[in-house]
Every structure is written in structure tokens, then in C-alpha cells.
Amino acid sequence: MSQRKPYVGGNWKMNTNRTTSADLARGVVDGLRDAAHVDVAVFPPFPYLLAVRAILRDRSSSIKLGAQDVYPKPDGAFTGEVSTEMLKDCGVEVVLCGHSERRHVLGESDAHVNAKLRAVLDAGLEAILCVGETLDERNNGHTDPVNQRQVRGGLADVTGDQISRVTIAYEPVWAIGTGKTATPADAQAVHANIRKLIAGMFGQDAAERIRIMYGGSVKPSNAADLFLSPDIDGGLIGGASLKVGEFVPIVRAAASKYTTP
Ligand code: PEP
């Protein structure tokens, strides 16, 4: 049994519209009204943040409002970008940094991910640092070195105080949106190695406290098995987070592993 409170995020990516984002938010809030022992965040597209925030507030929900991305500069001539202060102004509490699609489709480097993550933490927000290897990297036996490089790079210059506001999401690139999932044993091995690395960087206490989510084609049918693993503290959910009937059971599967300390 884990003493870390499970955490589940729903990454809506570039999906939904004004009507369906509101419907989805209402469905998730109502479906999880009685859910305890789990932290939940939703990550709508930027244009719908305020509408989703209004729904969370009106229903007194503890579900956190998340942003899928941020730009590390405070303001200025950065057309199309969004700052931490703008996100805070919209009620955002947590920000994804280095999602696989940002790294591999939009070309973000470890250094850029690190700049974003530090801007998020400096602004007093929570960050979820996403890491994960590609299929080629996995097939060449580079799973651990790639994840270790991304964790080290992403967390460079983060302070001992700030690490308590960081969650890591291990998301093998080959499992995102593909229907392929890491086996619980494979995911557990990577999570344990990431936790060991955090112990080396920030100390044993921080390593025991930090939550490491798994992401990559999590569904109601495989969630419970994944979340049973001792170092898997919940999930970052893409496709299945767009359906209330799939996201709610995944959150419940995560909640069931927690015991109050
Ligand atoms: C994700 O976007 O972080 C993700 C894990 O997507 P999916 O669940 O669709 O694989």
C-alpha cells in the first residue's frame, strides 16, 4: 500500500470545443463528486480554461485546473505564446512540461523544457514533468539513459523546496495514443529507477514523496494492474480522458491503492 496520494491527470490535448469541453468538465466533476484519496487535474485547451474553471468553481470541485504548456518568459514579443502569469490569472494550478508531443512533434529540447518547468515553479505553480523513450531508443536498450537524461535535464537547478511541487509522468512515446501499453513490470522498473535518480538528486525523503504517474494508452481495462505497482502513483491519461465513462473508472482505480498515512 502506498503512502503517496495517487494523482490522475486528464490531458485533453487539441480536442473538444466550447460545448464539449464544458460537457466533459461537468461529467468528470459529477462523476467524481464522492471520490476521495486521489488528486485529479484536467488539462483543457487554452481557449476553454476559463469556462472549465467556472464549472469547477460553481460545483465546488477539488479537481485542479491544468494547462498543457507554457512559455518561460514573463511577457513580451512572443506571438502565440502564454505566460505563467496569464495561466495563474485563469486559475491554473498545474502545468505540463515536456509532453512527448511537445518534444517530438514541436522539437522541444531538455533545456527548453527545463526553462518552462523552472518558470512554472518560480511562479508558485505545480509542474508535471513528462519523460519517455521512443521505440527506437527502447529497442536499442536506451530506455533508462533516455529517461534519466530527461529527468536530470528537466529538473536542472530546481531547488530542494521546489521539488515538492513536481510530479513526474513516465510516458513511453511508443505507448502514447497507440493502444500499446507498457507492462506493469516494465513500467514499474522505469519508475523505480527514476525514483532512485530523484533520491540521488534531492535526497531519500524527496524520492519517497514524489509522485510518478504512468501514461500511455491507459484504459479502464488496464489501469488497476498498472496502479498496483508500488512506484506507479497514478496516471496521465490522453484519449480515455475525453470520455467520462472511461476517465472516472481510471481515477477510481488509482484511488483504491491509497491508505491514509
Ligand atoms: C498523453 O497524452 O499523455 C497520453 C498518455 O495519451 P494516451 O492516453 O492517449 O496514450
Side-chain angles (χ1 to χ4, degrees):
M1 289 291 201
S2 171
Q3 298 304 308
R4 291 181 292 274
K5 192 174 183 185
Y7 195 179
V8 180
N11 175 13
W12 299 357
K13 310 193 186 189
M14 199 172 74
N15 294 301
T16 70
N17 59 31
R18 199 145 55 97
T19 304
T20 59
S21 61
D23 289 346
L24 182 54
R26 278 190 286 266
V28 169
V29 170
D30 292 347
L32 293 173
R33 189 167 296 292
D34 63 337
H37 312 311
V38 61
D39 286 332
V40 180
V42 291
F43 298 84
F46 288 142
Y48 309 132
L49 282 171
L50 284 175
V52 171
R53 175 172 77 157
I55 289 164
L56 300 180
R57 285 209 171 163
D58 286 353
R59 286 167 154 71
S60 305
S61 175
S62 59
I63 294 174
K64 298 177 202 221
L65 184 65
Q68 298 174 19
D69 190 32
V70 70
Y71 196 68
K73 301 285 184 197
D75 51 41
F78 302 104
T79 302
E81 298 294 343
V82 170
S83 71
T84 54
E85 289 309 310
M86 292 172 185
L87 294 179
K88 281 167 74 172
D89 208 15
C90 293
V92 164
E93 297 165 85
V94 50
V95 183
L96 297 181
C97 299
H99 187 276
S100 146
E101 286 139 23
R102 303 238 33 116
R103 291 179 189 268
H104 297 290
V105 181
L106 295 152
E108 289 188 5
S109 65
D110 286 330
H112 196 49
V113 172
N114 175 246
K116 290 183 177 200
L117 183 128
R118 281 188 294 126
V120 166
L121 296 175
D122 288 346
L125 295 165
E126 254 186 63
I128 298 182
L129 172 65
C130 305
V131 301
E133 79 285 357
T134 64
L135 189 58
D136 269 1
E137 289 164 339
R138 184 176 194 83
N139 289 342
N140 288 318
H142 297 150
T143 297
D144 281 328
V146 167
N147 285 297
Q148 309 250 324
R149 189 203 75 223
Q150 292 182 356
V151 171
R152 275 188 200 287
L155 296 181
D157 297 323
V158 167
T159 68
D161 286 343
Q162 289 176 328
I163 194 68
S164 64
R165 282 185 283 116
V166 176
T167 297
I168 293 175
Y170 167 56
E171 303 200 288
V173 178
W174 50 270
I176 296 181
T178 59
K180 295 185 185 128
T181 315
T183 63
D186 282 351
Q188 164 60 27
V190 175
H191 282 229
N193 285 336
I194 291 174
R195 201 176 299 285
K196 220 178 282 170
L197 175 62
I198 297 294
M201 293 174 75
F202 295 96
Q204 194 57 35
D205 192 47
E208 278 166 22
R209 285 171 189 273
I210 197 164
R211 292 180 289 190
I212 308 177
M213 301 167 154
Y214 170 79
S217 298
V218 177
K219 304 177 209 67
S221 57
N222 58 23
D225 277 353
L226 285 159
F227 298 158
L228 271 180
S229 303
D231 287 294
I232 299 182
D233 306 312
L236 184 56
I237 318 301
S241 73
L242 296 170
K243 294 181 185 144
V244 174
E246 295 194 6
F247 189 63
V248 165
I250 291 171
V251 173
R252 290 191 188 282
S256 68
K257 86 178 275 187
Y258 184 69
T259 51
T260 309

